[in-house]
């Protein structure tokens, strides 16, 4: 039985979900609506512990919560870059960017491009774009 076929019954601790819980929720996001999650849940789950799961979900064009996962990747990238990689390892970020460039669809290639642009020009950070979903909603490349 795949994750998509199993029934998701909720998080043991929504503030600190496991990768398996996040993956199961992502394929049945209506089972626990985002509106019922703790405030700033997107910020809470956008860390190193879940970034590989978020990346996997964002790479899956069939994932119902793909845009949420992509939004979290934008938060992860901005958090790493803005803290000069004290918050997240630069090597991990670069590997994700390279993988998105090689194997991702257009949405993931745009994320990788925008990550590289912000890395080169941290002054282009805008909270609305990176942490409130602006770049995901507008699907635009930074210049």
């Amino acid at each position: 039985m795949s994750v998509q076929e199993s029934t998701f019954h909720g998080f043991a601790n929504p503030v600190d979900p496991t990768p398996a819980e996040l993956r199961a929720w992502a394929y049945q996001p209506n089972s626990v609506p985002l509106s019922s999650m703790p405030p700033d849940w997107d910020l809470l789950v956008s860390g190193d512990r879940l970034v590989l799961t978020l990346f996997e979900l964002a790479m899956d064009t069939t994932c119902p919560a793909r845009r949420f996962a992509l939004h979290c990747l934008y938060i992860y990238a901005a958090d790493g870059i803005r803290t000069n990689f004290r918050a997240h390892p630069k090597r991990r970020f670069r590997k994700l960017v390279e993988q998105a460039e090689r194997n991702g669809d257009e949405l993931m290639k745009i994320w990788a491009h925008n990550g590289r642009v912000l890395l080169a020009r941290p002054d282009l950070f805008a909270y609305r774009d990176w942490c409130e979903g602006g770049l995901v909603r507008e699907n635009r490349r930074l210049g």
Side-chain angles (χ1 to χ4, degrees), residues 2-143:
S2 73
V3 170
Q4 293 91 328
E5 295 167 351
S6 63
T7 302
F8 180 65
H9 297 291
F11 297 99
N13 180 0
V15 174
D16 188 23
T18 67
E21 287 175 332
L22 184 62
R23 191 175 298 107
W25 169 81
Y27 288 98
Q28 296 181 9
N30 293 332
S31 61
V32 180
L34 277 175
S35 60
S36 71
M37 295 302 194
D40 298 322
W41 191 63
D42 53 348
L43 301 175
L44 293 172
V45 300
S46 297
D48 284 322
R49 195 167 86 76
L50 295 172
V51 73
L52 297 179
T53 303
L54 291 164
F55 186 81
E56 171 191 314
L57 297 170
M59 289 287 281
D60 182 355
T61 59
T62 67
C63 178
R66 180 181 191 215
R67 289 174 57 89
F68 175 80
L70 182 60
H71 164 64
C72 291
L73 289 180
Y74 273 101
I75 293 170
Y76 180 85
D79 195 29
I81 292 166
R82 292 187 62 234
T83 63
N84 200 25
F85 294 99
R86 286 185 303 278
H88 310 299
K90 189 175 195 176
R91 185 168 186 245
R92 178 176 286 159
F93 170 70
R94 284 190 186 271
K95 282 185 167 193
L96 294 174
V97 165
E98 290 166 4
Q99 189 175 346
E101 289 169 338
R102 269 192 322 274
N103 304 320
D105 68 351
E106 188 62 16
L107 285 178
M108 291 304 292
K109 287 180 179 175
I110 291 171
W111 171 78
H113 167 83
N114 289 343
R116 286 193 185 274
V117 170
L118 189 64
L119 187 58
R121 300 232 3 244
D123 59 298
L124 292 179
F125 173 78
Y127 190 85
R128 181 195 159 286
D129 286 341
W130 290 86
C131 300
E132 291 181 345
L135 289 170
V136 175
R137 281 189 304 278
E138 296 163 13
N139 192 29
R140 69 181 159 89
R141 288 179 182 263
L142 295 175

